[in-house]
Amino acid sequence: MRAHLKIVLLLMGAILTACQSRSGLLPKSGGRPYEVLLTGDQDSIVYQMLTTDVEALPQPEPSFDVSTTSATTLNTITQSARNIVMLSIDSTVYSQVRLKMERNVYASPQLILHIYAPSISALRAKQDLLGRKVRDILLQNEMENTVAQLKTHRNVKMEKMLQHRLGITIWIPADMTASKWGRNFVWLSNNTTSGMQSICIYTLPQKIIKKNITSEVFTHIRDSVMRENIKGETDSMYMQTVTESLIFRQFIRGLWTMKGDAMGGPFVCRIKTDSIHQRLIITEAFVYAPETKKRNLIRQSEAVLFTLKTKATN
């Protein structure tokens, strides 16, 4: 954690263990994925943190859907929310901005984030970096929830085919029953008319990337694979990358379009190295959902990428 931030993340180990052990006895939490209940916010500072636009989407969408209440304590209705952020400002108690995280306190699954600050000005001074930290915690929590649900709603038959044909273990959503196979490549999809979600998995020789990958190198690699495997109505129509949209962090994010057509949408890509087989394993989730919000669709598909396992990867 960066020294200039001075945010102390209090992980209450004993409390978390106790909450997890009794989570099976708790009522089910309310609300949909990426919904957050915000209490005690002042000057809408935390609200702004939570509603920052999601990166690499074709239209602006907030990071979370936030409902607010002026109450500083939870009642029997609000305490069942799946994600809760509670702000407390008190100069007599807090000397710096701090975070405290609790899980499965009143319901399950549930995450409660407490933000403590001595003053509004102190909170505002940490707004940018604190906002990223809060969003990351909430996003990771929702990803874990999605993976937990995926564990029992999978296309096991397709997973066995992937293991046999590509030597890859990954969890595939139960509704992804459509597939198209190519050379060291597979495209899986739920094949719906609206809100189509897809997963692409392919392997390439490890030597194809000699140094840190750049936008131009990634675009060349990806577009070459997609041009061969994901085409439109004619061979001159194929999926391609919007290079200027690319964002490199833990995963690679960006936008795709269909050359010669009006189709397009967001994608997220993960690249792992299989050192035993001297290959790269590329897993990618992309969405085609015209005139529909895409945030939840791409995040739901992205969770699949976290389940990738090989015998030797780094």
Side-chain angles (χ1 to χ4, degrees):
M1 190 172 293
R2 299 177 184 177
H4 65 271
L5 176 59
K6 296 182 180 179
I7 295 178
V8 179
L9 181 60
L10 302 178
L11 299 176
M12 306 298 289
I15 295 177
L16 295 182
T17 301
C19 290
Q20 291 168 356
S21 64
R22 66 186 182 91
S23 62
L25 303 176
L26 293 171
K28 185 177 180 180
S29 57
R32 294 173 297 180
Y34 306 104
E35 287 185 344
V36 177
L37 173 67
L38 174 59
T39 74
D41 193 18
Q42 298 189 30
D43 285 6
S44 299
I45 298 174
V46 180
Y47 181 88
Q48 293 172 17
M49 296 179 190
L50 295 171
T51 56
T52 299
D53 285 347
V54 179
E55 297 176 317
L57 289 184
Q59 295 90 25
E61 293 188 49
S63 295
F64 298 92
D65 300 321
V66 182
S67 58
T68 62
T69 174
S70 58
T72 56
T73 58
L74 301 174
N75 57 39
T76 55
I77 298 177
T78 57
Q79 70 182 18
S80 66
R82 64 186 289 128
N83 296 305
I84 303 173
V85 177
M86 305 182 70
L87 173 63
S88 179
I89 296 179
D90 191 334
S91 60
T92 64
V93 178
Y94 315 117
S95 60
Q96 60 183 353
V97 177
R98 298 188 298 167
L99 288 177
K100 174 184 171 182
M101 180 172 63
E102 297 179 293
R103 291 185 186 273
N104 302 336
V105 178
Y106 304 105
S108 177
Q110 183 181 63
L111 174 65
I112 301 178
L113 270 182
H114 300 270
I115 302 176
Y116 303 124
S119 65
I120 293 178
S121 60
L123 181 65
R124 194 181 299 279
K126 309 297 183 182
Q127 182 174 356
D128 291 343
L129 198 53
L130 177 64
R132 286 195 292 272
K133 183 66 176 179
V134 169
R135 291 192 299 273
D136 285 347
I137 292 173
L138 290 167
L139 180 58
Q140 180 63 31
N141 180 64
E142 288 288 16
M143 285 289 174
E144 292 173 1
N145 290 339
T146 302
V147 170
Q149 293 175 351
L150 181 61
K151 185 176 182 179
T152 56
H153 296 81
R154 293 155 47 197
N155 185 339
V156 177
K157 181 179 179 180
M158 186 61 69
E159 291 173 4
K160 290 180 179 179
M161 290 180 64
L162 284 165
Q163 177 62 46
H164 176 71
R165 298 181 67 168
L166 295 179
I168 292 171
T169 299
I170 190 171
W171 291 354
I172 302 300
D175 64 345
M176 286 196 177
T177 57
S179 63
K180 178 180 183 294
W181 293 84
R183 181 164 54 93
N184 298 319
F185 174 94
V186 64
W187 170 19
L188 308 170
S189 176
N190 59 4
N191 203 31
T192 59
T193 55
S194 63
M196 187 177 76
Q197 296 167 283
S198 297
I199 299 292
C200 284
I201 305 170
Y202 53 98
T203 64
L204 295 169
Q206 184 176 340
K207 63 183 180 181
I208 201 169
I209 299 178
K210 298 179 180 180
K211 298 181 179 179
N212 292 335
I213 191 167
T214 64
S215 296
E216 290 73 21
V217 169
F218 176 78
T219 297
H220 174 73
I221 293 172
R222 182 177 183 274
D223 286 9
S224 297
V225 172
M226 297 307 175
R227 183 168 189 170
E228 180 179 347
N229 293 282
I230 301 185
K231 298 181 180 181
E233 296 179 357
T234 67
D235 287 347
S236 63
M237 300 167 64
Y238 56 89
M239 179 182 283
Q240 60 182 8
T241 308
V242 181
T243 305
E244 58 270 23
S245 72
L246 294 177
I247 298 172
F248 291 78
R249 290 201 176 90
Q250 179 185 14
F251 294 168
I252 302 172
R253 305 177 188 279
L255 300 175
W256 64 272
T257 61
M258 185 67 72
K259 182 176 176 61
D261 201 344
M263 298 176 66
F267 75 88
V268 56
C269 177
R270 183 186 192 188
I271 301 176
K272 294 197 74 173
T273 302
D274 182 350
S275 56
I276 286 183
H277 300 95
Q278 294 294 299
R279 64 178 182 171
L280 300 175
I281 301 174
I282 296 94
T283 51
E284 175 180 318
F286 69 87
V287 165
Y288 176 61
E291 300 180 2
T292 302
K293 292 183 178 180
K294 302 165 183 61
R295 181 198 66 193
N296 287 13
L297 291 173
I298 191 64
R299 285 177 171 176
Q300 184 181 48
S301 300
E302 180 181 349
V304 174
L305 309 190
F306 285 95
T307 69
L308 172 67
K309 294 180 182 179
T310 60
K311 292 183 178 180
T313 59
N314 56 41

